[in-house]
Every structure is written in structure tokens, then in C-alpha cells.
Amino acid sequence: MSGDNSVQHNYFITRDSSDPVQNLAGLVREQWSEEAKLRDLFPVPIPVLWRVEDGETLGDHRELAGGPVEGTTSDLASFTRSFSEQQSQRLVILGEAGSGKTTLAVLLVLELLRQRAEGGRVPVLLPIASWRPTKEHLKTWLLRQLTDQYPFLSSTKAHGLLNRGLILPVLDGLDELPAAERPLALRKLTSGYLATEPLVLTCRTGDYTKAIGTGHVLRSALVVEGQPLTAEAVAKYLRISVPPQRRAHWRPLIRAVEEDKGSPVARALSVPLLLWLCWKVYEDSDQGGSPDDLMDQARFPTVEEIERHLLDSLVPSVYPSGPQPPVHRDRKAPRRWSRRHGPGPPGGSAISPGTSRSASRPTSNGGNWARPCTRRPARP
């Protein structure tokens, strides 16, 4: 059972629990397919390039980690096949704020499910923020998360799936743990979850670098990092993400990005989250304003000014006659409101270093997305 703009609420009771692996795979697929739609990831995902960075500086020994694994979010099939062929199938996804780490995690889960053979592992995306590595064993936490997020699983069945290696944990947001706990978390991700077992972890680059400076890397894991979008990638995304009939509306901005790659707007749109916000704010010409506005360097002399404008314009552009969120300088307010009342942006919790406000993650369950059972209100 589901409602308008909702993510799978209260239909667990209709599922046949005789095959928990297949049931879980189907539920995870439905959950994240719906989330991907709400994030506007289809039909044109932002083409962020993910590639191995810094060799063994951030990752483990190459003979243990394998590799290389790299690709773009616009060609996840190849990226996923390359990941699945690795012996360890352990991956750390790094990136700056707003680079799309969670987006890659969502799309990776969906592609892993699409390529999954019957009886294969089920990728399960979970926010890691609620784990307290000083107090709880990793598998105890995983077991609780599985039974909480997917109530059709009994504790016994969830325990069996974990012990049989049928769960591939995709843990989002190491950077949301307290800084003092991150090095210990990495050690326990290796010792508490065998280095031979698949695992995916996301984190901001700077926070991961600091964590491994006083601890250890995630053993046997490849590390990929999101790259800033090139001007050509930004232009291509805008050309194909808008209907052909509206291409003229965007042509001046596209030309400006291609011709002056050092301009504030070109630098701003190299951040995937800001590119998505730009598209979302100006996708409907009936709401007033034009993407051309962002080219005005007198009005928007810095990336931060463009960011602030796009965040302030997001909700009114989506809900021009609906309730407006409170205006706060709290950096979590814009994302928290949008996640409760409609689609949220595809990037991480913040946008760029040093910014004062940003779209952020909800505080209800520590993640970058809603729980499977959470009903979203219909759009105004």
C-alpha cells in the first residue's frame, strides 16, 4: 500500500515471508526506485566521474583492494560490473560536500539489484550515524537496523541472512559520526566485519583523511572519489535534462558556462548539488525568473551568493502557492523541510566548504533519506 508521494508504507504485511532474501531484494528495489524518482535521478543522472584517487594514500594495498573501479553515474552498469568483479567487493566512496556520494550509493544499490543473480547478496543502504562503535558491535547494530527498517524480517531471519553473507551493507555517512569515533569505526568495520565480506562506505574526503590519520584505512577496500563536473559535462546535462521545447530558455546559460569556465556560475554548477538546484529552480518558466539571472556577476559575484539564491528559491519554485518553510540560517533547515514535503536534492548534506547554509539530512534517523515506512505528504 502506498500513497501519493510516499515511500512504501505499511505494505510489509502483504509480503510472503517464505523467501526472505527475495522479499528483501524486492522491497529494497521498490524503496530506492521510489527514492530515485523523488531525487529526479531519472532519466538523466548528473554525470559525476568517480575514480580511484591517491593510490595507497587513502586506500589499502592494491594487491588486497584490487581495482581499478571507475566510471560515471550516467553509466552505472559498467561501474557496477567492475565493482562486482573485485575479489573483496569493498568500496569507500569519497567526495566533497554536495558531490553526490549518496546519489552514487542509491544508484549503485539499484544497479547491483538489477545485475543480481537469484540467491545473490542483497545490497541494503543504511545511515551509519546511529551506530556507536564505542558501545555496540557492528553486527548487533546491523541486525537492529535490518529489523527496524524492514519489519517483515524477524530477528532470527535477519541474523541468518547476515551470517550467510547474503547482505551487502552500504553504509552512508561516516562523516556523520562524532569525529572522535570515526577512527574506531574504521577499525571495527575491519575487525567486526571480516575483510573478506563485501561492504560499501561513504564519507566526505576531508573527514576520511583525518580519520585514517589517527587510525586505519578500511582494509581491502578500493577508494573512489567524485570529481568536480567539467563545463562540458554541465552543458551536456542541461541540454538533455530539459525538454527540447525549452532548450532556448537555457541556451544563454549553457553558452556562458562553456565560454567562461572560471566564472562564478560555471564554478558553482561544477558542484553536482548546485547543478541540480539550478535545474530544479528554473525548470518551470511559468514561475518567474530565468537561469540567465545567474550570469549577472554584479548580483551574484561569488559561488556562495549563487548557492544562497538557489536554496532560497528551491521551495517557492516547487510549491509556489503552498506552505513555505521557515527561513533559518540553520544549515539543516532547507533540506529538512524539502525532505518532509517533497523531493530532495541528490547531493550530500552540504554543498561547499565554508558555506553558512546548505541542504542537509534529516535528523529523524541519521540518514540522507526517509525510512522505508515513512509516508510523505502529497504535494500541495
PDB file of all heavy atoms in Angstrom, residues 9-41:
ATOM      1  N   HIS A   9       4.763   2.523   2.434  1.00  0.00           N
ATOM      2  CA  HIS A   9       4.346   2.495   3.822  1.00  0.00           C
ATOM      3  C   HIS A   9       3.297   1.414   4.025  1.00  0.00           C
ATOM      4  O   HIS A   9       2.358   1.253   3.278  1.00  0.00           O
ATOM      5  CB  HIS A   9       3.807   3.865   4.260  1.00  0.00           C
ATOM      6  CG  HIS A   9       2.462   4.179   3.711  1.00  0.00           C
ATOM      7  ND1 HIS A   9       1.323   4.057   4.459  1.00  0.00           N
ATOM      8  CD2 HIS A   9       2.059   4.570   2.487  1.00  0.00           C
ATOM      9  CE1 HIS A   9       0.271   4.397   3.722  1.00  0.00           C
ATOM     10  NE2 HIS A   9       0.705   4.701   2.533  1.00  0.00           N
ATOM     11  N   ASN A  10       3.513   0.628   5.073  1.00  0.00           N
ATOM     12  CA  ASN A  10       2.530  -0.336   5.560  1.00  0.00           C
ATOM     13  C   ASN A  10       2.107  -1.395   4.553  1.00  0.00           C
ATOM     14  O   ASN A  10       0.972  -1.818   4.555  1.00  0.00           O
ATOM     15  CB  ASN A  10       1.270   0.405   6.060  1.00  0.00           C
ATOM     16  CG  ASN A  10       1.578   1.279   7.246  1.00  0.00           C
ATOM     17  OD1 ASN A  10       2.527   1.018   7.967  1.00  0.00           O
ATOM     18  ND2 ASN A  10       0.789   2.317   7.434  1.00  0.00           N
ATOM     19  N   TYR A  11       2.992  -1.853   3.686  1.00  0.00           N
ATOM     20  CA  TYR A  11       2.618  -2.978   2.851  1.00  0.00           C
ATOM     21  C   TYR A  11       3.457  -4.207   3.164  1.00  0.00           C
ATOM     22  O   TYR A  11       3.371  -5.210   2.511  1.00  0.00           O
ATOM     23  CB  TYR A  11       2.705  -2.658   1.361  1.00  0.00           C
ATOM     24  CG  TYR A  11       4.088  -2.394   0.853  1.00  0.00           C
ATOM     25  CD1 TYR A  11       4.913  -3.441   0.474  1.00  0.00           C
ATOM     26  CD2 TYR A  11       4.555  -1.108   0.739  1.00  0.00           C
ATOM     27  CE1 TYR A  11       6.180  -3.208   0.001  1.00  0.00           C
ATOM     28  CE2 TYR A  11       5.827  -0.870   0.281  1.00  0.00           C
ATOM     29  CZ  TYR A  11       6.634  -1.918  -0.089  1.00  0.00           C
ATOM     30  OH  TYR A  11       7.889  -1.675  -0.554  1.00  0.00           O
ATOM     31  N   PHE A  12       4.251  -4.121   4.214  1.00  0.00           N
ATOM     32  CA  PHE A  12       5.055  -5.264   4.608  1.00  0.00           C
ATOM     33  C   PHE A  12       4.163  -6.464   4.937  1.00  0.00           C
ATOM     34  O   PHE A  12       4.525  -7.593   4.709  1.00  0.00           O
ATOM     35  CB  PHE A  12       5.898  -4.927   5.843  1.00  0.00           C
ATOM     36  CG  PHE A  12       6.879  -3.830   5.591  1.00  0.00           C
ATOM     37  CD1 PHE A  12       6.577  -2.518   5.920  1.00  0.00           C
ATOM     38  CD2 PHE A  12       8.109  -4.097   5.016  1.00  0.00           C
ATOM     39  CE1 PHE A  12       7.479  -1.514   5.682  1.00  0.00           C
ATOM     40  CE2 PHE A  12       9.013  -3.085   4.781  1.00  0.00           C
ATOM     41  CZ  PHE A  12       8.703  -1.791   5.111  1.00  0.00           C
ATOM     42  N   ILE A  13       2.968  -6.212   5.490  1.00  0.00           N
ATOM     43  CA  ILE A  13       2.126  -7.307   5.939  1.00  0.00           C
ATOM     44  C   ILE A  13       1.608  -8.137   4.774  1.00  0.00           C
ATOM     45  O   ILE A  13       1.148  -9.248   4.964  1.00  0.00           O
ATOM     46  CB  ILE A  13       0.940  -6.773   6.753  1.00  0.00           C
ATOM     47  CG1 ILE A  13       0.131  -5.768   5.923  1.00  0.00           C
ATOM     48  CG2 ILE A  13       1.403  -6.130   8.044  1.00  0.00           C
ATOM     49  CD1 ILE A  13      -1.143  -5.299   6.622  1.00  0.00           C
ATOM     50  N   THR A  14       1.672  -7.595   3.542  1.00  0.00           N
ATOM     51  CA  THR A  14       1.177  -8.325   2.380  1.00  0.00           C
ATOM     52  C   THR A  14       2.243  -9.217   1.767  1.00  0.00           C
ATOM     53  O   THR A  14       1.963  -9.951   0.837  1.00  0.00           O
ATOM     54  CB  THR A  14       0.669  -7.353   1.303  1.00  0.00           C
ATOM     55  OG1 THR A  14       1.775  -6.626   0.776  1.00  0.00           O
ATOM     56  CG2 THR A  14      -0.355  -6.394   1.885  1.00  0.00           C
ATOM     57  N   ARG A  15       3.467  -9.149   2.284  1.00  0.00           N
ATOM     58  CA  ARG A  15       4.558  -9.881   1.653  1.00  0.00           C
ATOM     59  C   ARG A  15       4.635 -11.313   2.165  1.00  0.00           C
ATOM     60  O   ARG A  15       4.444 -11.585   3.346  1.00  0.00           O
ATOM     61  CB  ARG A  15       5.896  -9.174   1.912  1.00  0.00           C
ATOM     62  CG  ARG A  15       6.006  -7.894   1.104  1.00  0.00           C
ATOM     63  CD  ARG A  15       7.402  -7.307   1.198  1.00  0.00           C
ATOM     64  NE  ARG A  15       7.517  -6.277   0.167  1.00  0.00           N
ATOM     65  CZ  ARG A  15       7.967  -6.515  -1.050  1.00  0.00           C
ATOM     66  NH1 ARG A  15       8.315  -7.728  -1.399  1.00  0.00           N
ATOM     67  NH2 ARG A  15       8.043  -5.551  -1.929  1.00  0.00           N
ATOM     68  N   ASP A  16       4.939 -12.217   1.252  1.00  0.00           N
ATOM     69  CA  ASP A  16       5.139 -13.620   1.602  1.00  0.00           C
ATOM     70  C   ASP A  16       6.532 -13.755   2.206  1.00  0.00           C
ATOM     71  O   ASP A  16       7.531 -13.506   1.532  1.00  0.00           O
ATOM     72  CB  ASP A  16       5.015 -14.483   0.346  1.00  0.00           C
ATOM     73  CG  ASP A  16       5.337 -15.949   0.619  1.00  0.00           C
ATOM     74  OD1 ASP A  16       5.465 -16.304   1.807  1.00  0.00           O
ATOM     75  OD2 ASP A  16       5.440 -16.713  -0.357  1.00  0.00           O
ATOM     76  N   SER A  17       6.601 -14.128   3.477  1.00  0.00           N
ATOM     77  CA  SER A  17       7.887 -14.173   4.166  1.00  0.00           C
ATOM     78  C   SER A  17       8.591 -15.508   4.012  1.00  0.00           C
ATOM     79  O   SER A  17       9.587 -15.767   4.673  1.00  0.00           O
ATOM     80  CB  SER A  17       7.682 -13.877   5.662  1.00  0.00           C
ATOM     81  OG  SER A  17       6.811 -14.837   6.222  1.00  0.00           O
ATOM     82  N   SER A  18       8.090 -16.402   3.143  1.00  0.00           N
ATOM     83  CA  SER A  18       8.713 -17.710   2.998  1.00  0.00           C
ATOM     84  C   SER A  18      10.088 -17.628   2.360  1.00  0.00           C
ATOM     85  O   SER A  18      10.914 -18.520   2.534  1.00  0.00           O
ATOM     86  CB  SER A  18       7.814 -18.639   2.169  1.00  0.00           C
ATOM     87  OG  SER A  18       7.619 -18.100   0.864  1.00  0.00           O
ATOM     88  N   ASP A  19      10.385 -16.586   1.603  1.00  0.00           N
ATOM     89  CA  ASP A  19      11.694 -16.398   0.984  1.00  0.00           C
ATOM     90  C   ASP A  19      12.207 -15.012   1.355  1.00  0.00           C
ATOM     91  O   ASP A  19      12.028 -14.057   0.597  1.00  0.00           O
ATOM     92  CB  ASP A  19      11.594 -16.544  -0.539  1.00  0.00           C
ATOM     93  CG  ASP A  19      12.966 -16.553  -1.198  1.00  0.00           C
ATOM     94  OD1 ASP A  19      13.954 -16.240  -0.503  1.00  0.00           O
ATOM     95  OD2 ASP A  19      13.049 -16.848  -2.394  1.00  0.00           O
ATOM     96  N   PRO A  20      12.815 -14.866   2.517  1.00  0.00           N
ATOM     97  CA  PRO A  20      13.213 -13.532   2.981  1.00  0.00           C
ATOM     98  C   PRO A  20      14.227 -12.847   2.081  1.00  0.00           C
ATOM     99  O   PRO A  20      14.235 -11.621   1.992  1.00  0.00           O
ATOM    100  CB  PRO A  20      13.790 -13.796   4.382  1.00  0.00           C
ATOM    101  CG  PRO A  20      14.155 -15.247   4.389  1.00  0.00           C
ATOM    102  CD  PRO A  20      13.158 -15.917   3.497  1.00  0.00           C
ATOM    103  N   VAL A  21      15.088 -13.611   1.392  1.00  0.00           N
ATOM    104  CA  VAL A  21      16.092 -12.994   0.531  1.00  0.00           C
ATOM    105  C   VAL A  21      15.413 -12.306  -0.653  1.00  0.00           C
ATOM    106  O   VAL A  21      15.674 -11.136  -0.950  1.00  0.00           O
ATOM    107  CB  VAL A  21      17.118 -14.035   0.035  1.00  0.00           C
ATOM    108  CG1 VAL A  21      18.140 -13.373  -0.879  1.00  0.00           C
ATOM    109  CG2 VAL A  21      17.812 -14.696   1.209  1.00  0.00           C
ATOM    110  N   GLN A  22      14.531 -13.025  -1.337  1.00  0.00           N
ATOM    111  CA  GLN A  22      13.837 -12.439  -2.474  1.00  0.00           C
ATOM    112  C   GLN A  22      12.921 -11.300  -2.041  1.00  0.00           C
ATOM    113  O   GLN A  22      12.800 -10.282  -2.719  1.00  0.00           O
ATOM    114  CB  GLN A  22      13.022 -13.513  -3.204  1.00  0.00           C
ATOM    115  CG  GLN A  22      13.877 -14.508  -3.987  1.00  0.00           C
ATOM    116  CD  GLN A  22      14.735 -13.823  -5.032  1.00  0.00           C
ATOM    117  OE1 GLN A  22      15.952 -13.702  -4.872  1.00  0.00           O
ATOM    118  NE2 GLN A  22      14.114 -13.352  -6.096  1.00  0.00           N
ATOM    119  N   ASN A  23      12.261 -11.469  -0.901  1.00  0.00           N
ATOM    120  CA  ASN A  23      11.381 -10.420  -0.404  1.00  0.00           C
ATOM    121  C   ASN A  23      12.165  -9.153  -0.080  1.00  0.00           C
ATOM    122  O   ASN A  23      11.750  -8.040  -0.398  1.00  0.00           O
ATOM    123  CB  ASN A  23      10.636 -10.895   0.841  1.00  0.00           C
ATOM    124  CG  ASN A  23       9.532 -11.874   0.504  1.00  0.00           C
ATOM    125  OD1 ASN A  23       9.118 -11.981  -0.642  1.00  0.00           O
ATOM    126  ND2 ASN A  23       9.062 -12.604   1.507  1.00  0.00           N
ATOM    127  N   LEU A  24      13.314  -9.333   0.563  1.00  0.00           N
ATOM    128  CA  LEU A  24      14.139  -8.182   0.896  1.00  0.00           C
ATOM    129  C   LEU A  24      14.649  -7.502  -0.365  1.00  0.00           C
ATOM    130  O   LEU A  24      14.630  -6.266  -0.468  1.00  0.00           O
ATOM    131  CB  LEU A  24      15.310  -8.610   1.779  1.00  0.00           C
ATOM    132  CG  LEU A  24      16.257  -7.488   2.214  1.00  0.00           C
ATOM    133  CD1 LEU A  24      15.529  -6.438   3.041  1.00  0.00           C
ATOM    134  CD2 LEU A  24      17.446  -8.062   2.995  1.00  0.00           C
ATOM    135  N   ALA A  25      15.095  -8.285  -1.339  1.00  0.00           N
ATOM    136  CA  ALA A  25      15.583  -7.709  -2.592  1.00  0.00           C
ATOM    137  C   ALA A  25      14.491  -6.893  -3.277  1.00  0.00           C
ATOM    138  O   ALA A  25      14.735  -5.777  -3.763  1.00  0.00           O
ATOM    139  CB  ALA A  25      16.086  -8.813  -3.516  1.00  0.00           C
ATOM    140  N   GLY A  26      13.277  -7.438  -3.310  1.00  0.00           N
ATOM    141  CA  GLY A  26      12.183  -6.710  -3.939  1.00  0.00           C
ATOM    142  C   GLY A  26      11.836  -5.442  -3.200  1.00  0.00           C
ATOM    143  O   GLY A  26      11.581  -4.388  -3.806  1.00  0.00           O
ATOM    144  N   LEU A  27      11.835  -5.502  -1.891  1.00  0.00           N
ATOM    145  CA  LEU A  27      11.491  -4.330  -1.095  1.00  0.00           C
ATOM    146  C   LEU A  27      12.535  -3.234  -1.228  1.00  0.00           C
ATOM    147  O   LEU A  27      12.212  -2.047  -1.393  1.00  0.00           O
ATOM    148  CB  LEU A  27      11.341  -4.739   0.368  1.00  0.00           C
ATOM    149  CG  LEU A  27      10.936  -3.635   1.346  1.00  0.00           C
ATOM    150  CD1 LEU A  27       9.640  -2.987   0.919  1.00  0.00           C
ATOM    151  CD2 LEU A  27      10.821  -4.203   2.746  1.00  0.00           C
ATOM    152  N   VAL A  28      13.821  -3.622  -1.178  1.00  0.00           N
ATOM    153  CA  VAL A  28      14.892  -2.638  -1.328  1.00  0.00           C
ATOM    154  C   VAL A  28      14.815  -1.981  -2.706  1.00  0.00           C
ATOM    155  O   VAL A  28      14.990  -0.764  -2.854  1.00  0.00           O
ATOM    156  CB  VAL A  28      16.266  -3.300  -1.100  1.00  0.00           C
ATOM    157  CG1 VAL A  28      17.397  -2.340  -1.471  1.00  0.00           C
ATOM    158  CG2 VAL A  28      16.410  -3.748   0.349  1.00  0.00           C
ATOM    159  N   ARG A  29      14.526  -2.790  -3.734  1.00  0.00           N
ATOM    160  CA  ARG A  29      14.411  -2.237  -5.085  1.00  0.00           C
ATOM    161  C   ARG A  29      13.276  -1.208  -5.161  1.00  0.00           C
ATOM    162  O   ARG A  29      13.442  -0.121  -5.722  1.00  0.00           O
ATOM    163  CB  ARG A  29      14.179  -3.358  -6.096  1.00  0.00           C
ATOM    164  CG  ARG A  29      14.054  -2.848  -7.538  1.00  0.00           C
ATOM    165  CD  ARG A  29      13.777  -3.982  -8.504  1.00  0.00           C
ATOM    166  NE  ARG A  29      14.918  -4.893  -8.614  1.00  0.00           N
ATOM    167  CZ  ARG A  29      14.966  -6.106  -8.111  1.00  0.00           C
ATOM    168  NH1 ARG A  29      13.922  -6.604  -7.436  1.00  0.00           N
ATOM    169  NH2 ARG A  29      16.039  -6.871  -8.261  1.00  0.00           N
ATOM    170  N   GLU A  30      12.129  -1.550  -4.604  1.00  0.00           N
ATOM    171  CA  GLU A  30      10.999  -0.621  -4.637  1.00  0.00           C
ATOM    172  C   GLU A  30      11.302   0.646  -3.841  1.00  0.00           C
ATOM    173  O   GLU A  30      10.984   1.763  -4.272  1.00  0.00           O
ATOM    174  CB  GLU A  30       9.759  -1.305  -4.078  1.00  0.00           C
ATOM    175  CG  GLU A  30       9.239  -2.439  -4.958  1.00  0.00           C
ATOM    176  CD  GLU A  30       8.130  -3.224  -4.279  1.00  0.00           C
ATOM    177  OE1 GLU A  30       7.371  -2.612  -3.502  1.00  0.00           O
ATOM    178  OE2 GLU A  30       8.030  -4.446  -4.505  1.00  0.00           O
ATOM    179  N   GLN A  31      11.899   0.465  -2.673  1.00  0.00           N
ATOM    180  CA  GLN A  31      12.219   1.598  -1.814  1.00  0.00           C
ATOM    181  C   GLN A  31      13.105   2.613  -2.527  1.00  0.00           C
ATOM    182  O   GLN A  31      12.816   3.811  -2.569  1.00  0.00           O
ATOM    183  CB  GLN A  31      12.922   1.088  -0.550  1.00  0.00           C
ATOM    184  CG  GLN A  31      13.435   2.197   0.362  1.00  0.00           C
ATOM    185  CD  GLN A  31      14.352   1.630   1.448  1.00  0.00           C
ATOM    186  OE1 GLN A  31      14.537   0.410   1.541  1.00  0.00           O
ATOM    187  NE2 GLN A  31      14.927   2.492   2.256  1.00  0.00           N
ATOM    188  N   TRP A  32      14.210   2.115  -3.102  1.00  0.00           N
ATOM    189  CA  TRP A  32      15.181   3.051  -3.679  1.00  0.00           C
ATOM    190  C   TRP A  32      14.817   3.484  -5.087  1.00  0.00           C
ATOM    191  O   TRP A  32      15.274   4.526  -5.549  1.00  0.00           O
ATOM    192  CB  TRP A  32      16.577   2.442  -3.584  1.00  0.00           C
ATOM    193  CG  TRP A  32      16.957   2.348  -2.140  1.00  0.00           C
ATOM    194  CD1 TRP A  32      17.094   1.223  -1.382  1.00  0.00           C
ATOM    195  CD2 TRP A  32      17.152   3.448  -1.253  1.00  0.00           C
ATOM    196  NE1 TRP A  32      17.374   1.556  -0.084  1.00  0.00           N
ATOM    197  CE2 TRP A  32      17.419   2.912   0.028  1.00  0.00           C
ATOM    198  CE3 TRP A  32      17.133   4.834  -1.414  1.00  0.00           C
ATOM    199  CZ2 TRP A  32      17.655   3.715   1.138  1.00  0.00           C
ATOM    200  CZ3 TRP A  32      17.374   5.631  -0.298  1.00  0.00           C
ATOM    201  CH2 TRP A  32      17.641   5.069   0.953  1.00  0.00           C
ATOM    202  N   SER A  33      14.000   2.720  -5.784  1.00  0.00           N
ATOM    203  CA  SER A  33      13.464   3.208  -7.059  1.00  0.00           C
ATOM    204  C   SER A  33      12.580   4.420  -6.818  1.00  0.00           C
ATOM    205  O   SER A  33      12.640   5.421  -7.551  1.00  0.00           O
ATOM    206  CB  SER A  33      12.664   2.109  -7.764  1.00  0.00           C
ATOM    207  OG  SER A  33      13.506   1.045  -8.159  1.00  0.00           O
ATOM    208  N   GLU A  34      11.760   4.340  -5.770  1.00  0.00           N
ATOM    209  CA  GLU A  34      10.910   5.478  -5.433  1.00  0.00           C
ATOM    210  C   GLU A  34      11.735   6.673  -4.984  1.00  0.00           C
ATOM    211  O   GLU A  34      11.482   7.808  -5.363  1.00  0.00           O
ATOM    212  CB  GLU A  34       9.930   5.075  -4.323  1.00  0.00           C
ATOM    213  CG  GLU A  34       8.947   6.158  -3.920  1.00  0.00           C
ATOM    214  CD  GLU A  34       7.969   6.514  -5.022  1.00  0.00           C
ATOM    215  OE1 GLU A  34       7.809   5.713  -5.960  1.00  0.00           O
ATOM    216  OE2 GLU A  34       7.360   7.609  -4.942  1.00  0.00           O
ATOM    217  N   GLU A  35      12.756   6.409  -4.179  1.00  0.00           N
ATOM    218  CA  GLU A  35      13.618   7.496  -3.726  1.00  0.00           C
ATOM    219  C   GLU A  35      14.354   8.133  -4.902  1.00  0.00           C
ATOM    220  O   GLU A  35      14.517   9.359  -4.957  1.00  0.00           O
ATOM    221  CB  GLU A  35      14.624   6.964  -2.707  1.00  0.00           C
ATOM    222  CG  GLU A  35      15.523   8.029  -2.092  1.00  0.00           C
ATOM    223  CD  GLU A  35      14.803   8.904  -1.082  1.00  0.00           C
ATOM    224  OE1 GLU A  35      13.633   8.634  -0.766  1.00  0.00           O
ATOM    225  OE2 GLU A  35      15.432   9.871  -0.613  1.00  0.00           O
ATOM    226  N   ALA A  36      14.801   7.324  -5.841  1.00  0.00           N
ATOM    227  CA  ALA A  36      15.487   7.857  -7.013  1.00  0.00           C
ATOM    228  C   ALA A  36      14.563   8.764  -7.824  1.00  0.00           C
ATOM    229  O   ALA A  36      14.994   9.790  -8.365  1.00  0.00           O
ATOM    230  CB  ALA A  36      16.020   6.722  -7.883  1.00  0.00           C
ATOM    231  N   LYS A  37      13.289   8.399  -7.912  1.00  0.00           N
ATOM    232  CA  LYS A  37      12.329   9.257  -8.614  1.00  0.00           C
ATOM    233  C   LYS A  37      12.164  10.583  -7.889  1.00  0.00           C
ATOM    234  O   LYS A  37      12.119  11.648  -8.506  1.00  0.00           O
ATOM    235  CB  LYS A  37      10.985   8.549  -8.727  1.00  0.00           C
ATOM    236  CG  LYS A  37      10.986   7.321  -9.614  1.00  0.00           C
ATOM    237  CD  LYS A  37       9.646   6.612  -9.555  1.00  0.00           C
ATOM    238  CE  LYS A  37       9.683   5.289 -10.314  1.00  0.00           C
ATOM    239  NZ  LYS A  37       8.412   4.533 -10.163  1.00  0.00           N
ATOM    240  N   LEU A  38      12.069  10.518  -6.560  1.00  0.00           N
ATOM    241  CA  LEU A  38      11.913  11.743  -5.777  1.00  0.00           C
ATOM    242  C   LEU A  38      13.141  12.635  -5.889  1.00  0.00           C
ATOM    243  O   LEU A  38      13.045  13.856  -5.777  1.00  0.00           O
ATOM    244  CB  LEU A  38      11.646  11.390  -4.317  1.00  0.00           C
ATOM    245  CG  LEU A  38      10.298  10.736  -4.019  1.00  0.00           C
ATOM    246  CD1 LEU A  38      10.245  10.237  -2.586  1.00  0.00           C
ATOM    247  CD2 LEU A  38       9.164  11.717  -4.278  1.00  0.00           C
ATOM    248  N   ARG A  39      14.294  12.033  -6.107  1.00  0.00           N
ATOM    249  CA  ARG A  39      15.532  12.799  -6.264  1.00  0.00           C
ATOM    250  C   ARG A  39      15.770  13.234  -7.708  1.00  0.00           C
ATOM    251  O   ARG A  39      16.810  13.809  -8.018  1.00  0.00           O
ATOM    252  CB  ARG A  39      16.723  11.955  -5.797  1.00  0.00           C
ATOM    253  CG  ARG A  39      16.785  11.723  -4.306  1.00  0.00           C
ATOM    254  CD  ARG A  39      17.810  10.645  -3.961  1.00  0.00           C
ATOM    255  NE  ARG A  39      17.944  10.503  -2.517  1.00  0.00           N
ATOM    256  CZ  ARG A  39      18.849  11.151  -1.786  1.00  0.00           C
ATOM    257  NH1 ARG A  39      19.691  11.974  -2.363  1.00  0.00           N
ATOM    258  NH2 ARG A  39      18.907  10.983  -0.485  1.00  0.00           N
ATOM    259  N   ASP A  40      14.825  12.915  -8.596  1.00  0.00           N
ATOM    260  CA  ASP A  40      14.966  13.289 -10.007  1.00  0.00           C
ATOM    261  C   ASP A  40      16.213  12.683 -10.644  1.00  0.00           C
ATOM    262  O   ASP A  40      16.883  13.315 -11.465  1.00  0.00           O
ATOM    263  CB  ASP A  40      14.989  14.814 -10.182  1.00  0.00           C
ATOM    264  CG  ASP A  40      13.708  15.473  -9.734  1.00  0.00           C
ATOM    265  OD1 ASP A  40      12.633  15.092 -10.244  1.00  0.00           O
ATOM    266  OD2 ASP A  40      13.761  16.357  -8.859  1.00  0.00           O
ATOM    267  N   LEU A  41      16.542  11.447 -10.270  1.00  0.00           N
ATOM    268  CA  LEU A  41      17.733  10.799 -10.823  1.00  0.00           C
ATOM    269  C   LEU A  41      17.481  10.178 -12.186  1.00  0.00           C
ATOM    270  O   LEU A  41      18.420   9.765 -12.852  1.00  0.00           O
ATOM    271  CB  LEU A  41      18.235   9.727  -9.851  1.00  0.00           C
ATOM    272  CG  LEU A  41      18.605  10.216  -8.452  1.00  0.00           C
ATOM    273  CD1 LEU A  41      19.201   9.079  -7.641  1.00  0.00           C
ATOM    274  CD2 LEU A  41      19.554  11.398  -8.511  1.00  0.00           C
TER     275      LEU A  41
END
